[in-house]
Amino acid sequence: MRRRDEQIDDEDEDDEQAPPRRRWWRWILYPALLAFGLLLGVGIPYVWVLDGQVRERFGQLQWQVPTKVYAQPLHLVPGQRMDAKTLQLELDAAQYRSDGAGSSPGSYARSGDRFTIASRGFNDVATVQPPSQVVVQLADGTVSSLRSPDGAALPTATFDPAPIAALYGSTQEERELVHGPDVPPLLVAGLQAVEDRNFKTHHGVDVLGILRAVAVDVREGGARQGGSTLTQQLVRNLFLSNERSLKRKVNEALYAIIIESRFDKQTILEAYLNEVYLGQLGNQSIHGVAAGAKFWFGRPLGSLPKQDIALMIGLIKGPSYYDPRRSPDRALQRRAVVLDAFVETGLMTADEADALKKSPLDVIPKPGIVTNRYPAFVDLVRRQLQSDYPADSIKGAGMTIHTTLDPAAQIDAEAALAETLDKIQRKKGPDLEGGLVVTDVHDGNVLAVVGSRDATALGFNRALDAQRPVGSLLKPFIYLLALAQPDKYSLATPIDDSAVSVALGNGRTWSPENDDHREHGMVRIIDALAQSYNHVAVRVGMDVQVERLTKLLKALAGIDVPANPSVLLGATDQTPYTMAQLYQFLASGGQVQPLHAVRGVLDAKGALVKRYDHPAAAAQAGDALAARLATIAMQQVAISGTAGSLQRDGLGFLDAAGKTGTSNDSRDSWFAGFTGSHLAVVWVGNDQNLETGLFGATGALRVWAGLFRRLPSTPLTVSDAGLEWAWVSPEAYASVDAGCPGVRRFAFVKGFAPPLQPTCDAGTNPGDASGWIREPSADPVDPDTGAPLPPGSVPPAAEGSTAPGGPPSPAQAPPASPSPASEQEPPP
């Protein structure tokens, strides 16, 4: 018997001699174990990193929503000045659609002068305006009536404001955030029917959906459906690039699974609806269904009809490829595919889908998204908000800024400036430019700002920044100070218009001339202003004191200018906006009304942050009386004075008050004028400070007339409160009977009319009542204060001055902008 160990040795020998066994399982098991180890060692940490990114970026997801800037709402009341053209402009600016019925929010129907308007409703500064339907009847240039659809008379109607700008943050993304209740149910269900039918049940990646998409693509012979879930699409937009690679697909799936494991379906769907890409406008990308609804259809999301919902869902696949503006046939085909999906999932019947397929594309011609339609006005808005908000704090903050802009006034002002400058541009003359500001005389609202001949141009805003010599625009304020002394001055006061000289000291004098180089004898104040006579303005100005004038300019408009006598004739450089602020005092009837372009600011949730449209204090009695008298005199400017062409232009019915202004060598042309509802200040000149050949009446006044031929405005009526009227003799400062030959009727502060003479023969010396104003003081005056100087004194500012024909004003006007020695106006 052999031993066990010998047997074993024999077996070992047999093994050594036998061929080796194939241990194939080792080649599978070992790599699998290695891969599993790598997965545990690398994959889990990688997924942990992705999970951290999801928690940080998706869990605290915040979009930059542009701050929207809006014009003022359109308010209508019966009797208000309004014509069909202007109302149409307002509706177009607010992106209303003409649908023949005016029944859905944001639509209107027009039949001649009858408009049926369905407003959208909006959050105003102080109130919430609900949607409404109003029938507006116009007649004879006014609102004849306002009625509800059932025929009931309405006292007023308010329509949602036009969007005028969007202030973006670091990204140029147009977006309006929506929440679940804001989204039409058909959009939610239809989106899932087309893009992700298993959205409610899958966990981020839908294998069945992928297989179904492949089957459809094979059956239809093309890429008809995608296999990505809504969650995967959201991941692609938020976390990944558009790179086509295996790595991206793996990351996309991992991100989707992580998001689905951490967040509920409603949160994911809401994020998708706010993030989905739906179009492009230049550098602006359109994100979210709310912005998409306005971009393509000009409607709020909640008012989209079924066919528009179908089209918007279809655009998700490729907004550029299926662009309904550029490729309407493709868009119609894509909409049909979506409607078929609605039928397949039971969202509508086949008959309804067939009917909707026949409807035309309801896309607005131009994108319903606004970046900066009126750059000069938005520039003013930014400046007025600077004191409350740092420069970048309102960009991309989702705030709402309600402004005072009147779209029709802005559009009319832009057209008036551009068209008038085209007409008066000389072929060999310098390129004309202009600036224009329009305000509401009742509250200081800035209604329009035009900063350039090309109103869309960005850059130098001449309405706010072009400081130019104002010429005779200051003369009404000289007479305002004088008329505030009713015991000494009235509109009928005769003043000597002979040559005048103001002693400046050191043997120097200032001797301004009238434009026509003539003297006109004794002239009543109202006529001196109408004809813009310099001699009278200087005499009265020196009497009321230059220092008082400069203090008035400072108080009314912040104009800080030395009390140099030449300021009486406009030797100060100011902007159109500053002059509008100055004239607002007269246009408002003596109120100090700070101009403002912002009504209020709302935060991202629609709550009021700050209101800016506070009412101004009532005018003081003395200011109101003097302003009324000055306004009556300025009406004479537009009747028989330097602005008399307004009568020939057919604008006499406005009874406007105004004043022309021209600087030396006709470099600058000005007109400031107001009606019963609007003030407009216009400057025309050129950026090189060259001679234009234009007077105030041939340049700026023509722009003003062009504006008010377009803009419905209320005629100016001056209140008689505190005034009395009397007939004044042509030969003397005396009241006479109305039947006397040559008499004129003048307004006086009550109790200060000249005594009534019993006969028409009131005397022959018209200067008897005011001989004290024939000559200014012969003593030298300080050009900084207008006060008399001791004999032999030399005013410091006069030393070394080389300004010809006028007092020195080196701080007021650089060599490129000389101070005028006289007002220049063409013959009336």
Side-chain angles (χ1 to χ4, degrees):
M1 179 180 220
R2 297 178 62 182
R3 294 199 312 254
R4 176 63 180 163
D5 55 350
E6 292 176 354
Q7 183 178 354
I8 295 172
D9 290 340
D10 292 342
E11 291 175 356
D12 290 340
E13 290 179 12
D14 293 339
D15 289 340
E16 291 173 1
Q17 295 173 3
R21 297 177 180 176
R22 295 181 178 178
R23 297 181 177 88
W24 55 269
W25 52 270
R26 295 179 181 178
W27 298 102
I28 297 176
L29 179 61
Y30 291 165
L33 292 174
L34 179 60
F36 183 72
L38 289 173
L39 179 62
L40 292 176
V42 177
I44 291 178
Y46 183 66
V47 172
W48 180 80
V49 171
L50 297 184
D51 180 67
Q53 293 178 359
V54 168
R55 283 185 283 111
E56 179 181 354
R57 297 176 59 184
F58 192 87
Q60 301 178 358
L61 191 58
Q62 291 184 342
W63 286 280
Q64 279 197 350
V65 179
T67 289
K68 298 297 181 65
V69 185
Y70 290 91
Q72 62 173 296
L74 174 61
H75 297 287
L76 296 180
V77 296
Q80 175 182 339
R81 294 281 299 177
M82 179 62 64
D83 55 37
K85 176 192 73 69
T86 301
L87 182 54
Q88 185 73 60
L89 281 178
E90 293 279 356
L91 294 174
D92 291 345
Q95 300 174 350
Y96 274 71
R97 295 171 295 102
S98 175
D99 65 355
S103 56
S104 61
S107 68
Y108 73 96
R110 177 182 176 183
S111 177
D113 284 345
R114 179 187 176 92
F115 291 75
T116 301
I117 307 172
S119 71
R120 302 180 180 98
F122 65 101
N123 287 351
D124 201 0
V125 173
T127 60
V128 176
Q129 295 287 344
S132 63
Q133 188 178 24
V134 180
V135 179
V136 182
Q137 182 65 56
L138 306 176
D140 299 324
T142 64
V143 177
S144 174
S145 66
L146 300 171
R147 297 189 180 277
S148 63
D150 61 6
L154 301 174
T156 183
T158 301
F159 303 99
D160 46 301
I164 60 173
L167 307 180
Y168 295 93
S170 57
T171 58
Q172 292 281 313
E173 294 182 354
E174 180 66 28
R175 180 185 282 107
E176 291 184 21
L177 297 183
V178 296
H179 303 287
D182 305 327
V183 185
L186 180 61
L187 176 56
V188 175
L191 177 65
Q192 296 175 52
V194 175
E195 295 291 334
D196 190 356
R197 293 189 184 179
N198 295 326
F199 175 72
K200 295 179 180 178
T201 57
H202 66 62
H203 299 287
V205 178
D206 183 11
V207 177
L208 292 178
I210 295 173
L211 295 176
R212 182 175 61 252
V214 171
V216 171
D217 292 347
V218 171
R219 183 177 71 247
E220 300 292 339
R224 304 279 288 180
Q225 287 193 6
S228 296
T229 65
L230 292 179
T231 313
Q232 287 175 280
Q233 295 178 40
L234 180 61
V235 164
R236 203 176 304 151
N237 287 339
L238 292 178
F239 297 99
L240 303 175
S241 67
N242 291 323
E243 175 193 7
R244 293 181 176 271
S245 66
L246 178 62
K247 177 183 177 182
R248 197 211 73 179
K249 294 296 291 184
V250 170
N251 282 338
E252 180 182 296
L254 290 174
Y255 272 122
I257 293 170
I258 293 170
I259 288 175
E260 291 270 357
S261 68
R262 286 198 169 274
F263 301 97
D264 62 74
K265 292 288 186 178
Q266 182 61 36
T267 301
I268 296 170
L269 181 61
E270 194 170 287
Y272 182 93
L273 293 170
N274 285 310
E275 175 59 28
V276 62
Y277 173 71
L278 282 169
Q280 193 78 23
L281 179 64
N283 293 329
Q284 286 177 275
S285 56
I286 312 303
H287 287 268
V289 292
K294 291 188 176 180
F295 180 77
W296 292 112
F297 309 108
R299 295 175 180 258
L301 180 63
S303 69
L304 290 184
K306 294 178 180 180
Q307 66 269 25
D308 291 350
I309 290 176
L311 177 57
M312 190 159 68
I313 292 174
L315 288 172
I316 292 174
K317 185 175 181 179
S320 179
Y321 185 77
Y322 295 107
D323 185 335
R325 296 189 182 101
R326 294 185 299 175
S327 306
D329 291 340
R330 289 180 189 168
L332 286 169
Q333 293 171 5
R334 180 60 182 162
R335 187 181 69 175
V337 170
V338 173
L339 290 171
D340 288 340
F342 287 3
V343 175
E344 291 175 14
T345 53
L347 295 176
M348 66 176 53
T349 66
D351 290 343
E352 185 180 7
D354 290 341
L356 293 178
K357 289 178 185 178
K358 297 176 183 178
S359 63
L361 294 174
D362 189 25
V363 175
I364 56 177
K366 295 182 179 180
I369 298 296
V370 176
T371 51
N372 191 345
R373 295 167 71 176
Y374 310 116
F377 183 88
V378 174
D379 183 19
L380 176 61
V381 171
R382 291 177 188 269
R383 298 187 194 197
Q384 294 196 345
L385 289 175
Q386 280 179 353
S387 60
D388 293 321
Y389 305 94
D392 295 326
S393 65
I394 59 176
K395 295 180 180 179
M399 304 172 78
T400 299
I401 300 173
H402 286 289
T403 75
T404 61
L405 182 129
D406 179 335
Q410 179 72 35
I411 294 168
D412 288 343
E414 292 175 355
L417 182 64
E419 293 178 14
T420 304
L421 294 190
D422 287 345
K423 292 177 181 178
I424 64 178
Q425 174 71 58
R426 294 185 301 179
K427 290 184 178 180
K428 296 183 179 181
D431 291 336
L432 295 178
E433 270 294 354
L436 192 160
V437 177
V438 184
T439 71
D440 187 321
V441 302
H442 302 107
D443 49 26
N445 285 351
V446 179
L447 304 180
V449 178
V450 186
S452 174
R453 187 172 182 171
D454 177 5
T456 63
L458 301 175
F460 187 49
N461 188 343
R462 293 164 188 81
L464 305 184
D465 297 323
Q467 297 194 17
R468 307 296 299 172
V470 299
S472 291
L473 256 60
L474 298 186
K475 286 178 179 174
F477 298 91
I478 298 173
Y479 297 117
L480 178 74
L481 290 172
L483 295 168
Q485 306 174 57
D487 57 334
K488 191 173 184 181
Y489 286 102
S490 75
L491 296 178
T493 300
I495 308 294
D496 186 5
D497 187 55
S498 62
V500 61
S501 294
V502 178
L504 299 177
N506 198 26
R508 301 189 67 237
T509 59
W510 177 47
S511 302
E513 296 184 2
N514 284 327
D515 176 60
D516 59 5
H517 305 289
R518 294 170 54 193
E519 302 175 7
H520 304 93
M522 301 302 293
V523 179
R524 301 192 189 275
I525 278 182
I526 192 171
D527 299 322
L529 179 61
Q531 303 303 329
S532 200
Y533 291 154
N534 290 337
H535 296 156
V536 174
V538 171
R539 279 191 166 86
V540 176
M542 294 302 295
D543 185 70
V544 299
Q545 298 179 5
V546 179
E547 187 175 10
R548 288 186 61 209
L549 175 63
T550 58
K551 287 181 177 179
L552 179 67
L553 301 180
K554 178 72 172 179
L556 297 183
I559 297 174
D560 195 1
V561 57
N564 191 311
S566 63
V567 77
L568 298 170
L569 300 184
T572 176
D573 292 0
Q574 302 299 329
T575 68
Y577 184 81
T578 300
M579 296 311 294
Q581 178 64 81
L582 183 63
Y583 269 77
Q584 187 72 22
F585 179 79
L586 295 174
S588 66
Q591 280 187 288
V592 179
Q593 292 181 348
L595 299 184
H596 58 278
V598 181
R599 296 172 56 238
V601 176
L602 309 181
D603 65 18
K605 296 182 179 179
L608 180 64
V609 177
K610 186 172 182 179
R611 188 167 183 173
Y612 294 83
D613 55 347
H614 304 295
Q620 297 183 16
D623 292 345
L625 289 172
R628 287 171 198 153
L629 292 172
T631 298
I632 292 171
M634 294 169 67
Q635 286 180 309
Q636 195 64 36
V637 174
I639 294 174
S640 62
T642 56
S645 62
L646 292 178
Q647 306 297 314
R648 299 188 294 275
D649 288 339
L651 295 175
F653 73 94
L654 289 174
D655 293 323
K659 185 67 189 78
T660 54
T662 312
S663 68
N664 268 8
D665 301 322
S666 298
R667 299 171 190 267
D668 304 281
S669 169
W670 290 88
F671 185 72
F674 54 92
T675 67
S677 52
H678 299 94
L679 161 69
V681 176
V682 184
W683 166 81
V684 172
N686 66 91
D687 294 339
Q688 293 75 39
N689 193 39
L690 300 175
E691 180 181 348
T692 65
L694 296 173
F695 297 99
T698 57
L701 178 62
R702 291 184 63 180
V703 175
W704 193 96
L707 168 60
F708 283 90
R709 275 194 295 268
R710 294 171 168 87
L711 182 65
S713 193
T714 304
L716 175 60
T717 301
V718 180
S719 170
D720 281 339
L723 302 181
E724 61 178 324
W725 291 79
W727 294 93
V728 177
S729 167
E731 289 87 15
Y733 188 74
S735 297
V736 293
D737 186 83
C740 293
V743 296
R744 290 176 63 185
R745 191 166 178 258
F746 291 90
F748 298 87
V749 174
K750 189 169 292 185
F752 288 92
L756 179 64
Q757 302 298 314
T759 66
C760 291
D761 184 10
T764 57
N765 185 357
D768 288 346
S770 51
W772 38 264
I773 199 62
R774 286 181 175 277
E775 291 295 339
S777 172
D779 296 328
V781 297
D782 187 327
D784 289 331
T785 65
L789 290 172
S793 298
V794 179
E799 295 176 351
S801 171
T802 59
S809 53
Q812 299 173 28
S817 181
S819 300
S822 66
E823 162 69 6
Q824 300 184 3
E825 297 295 345

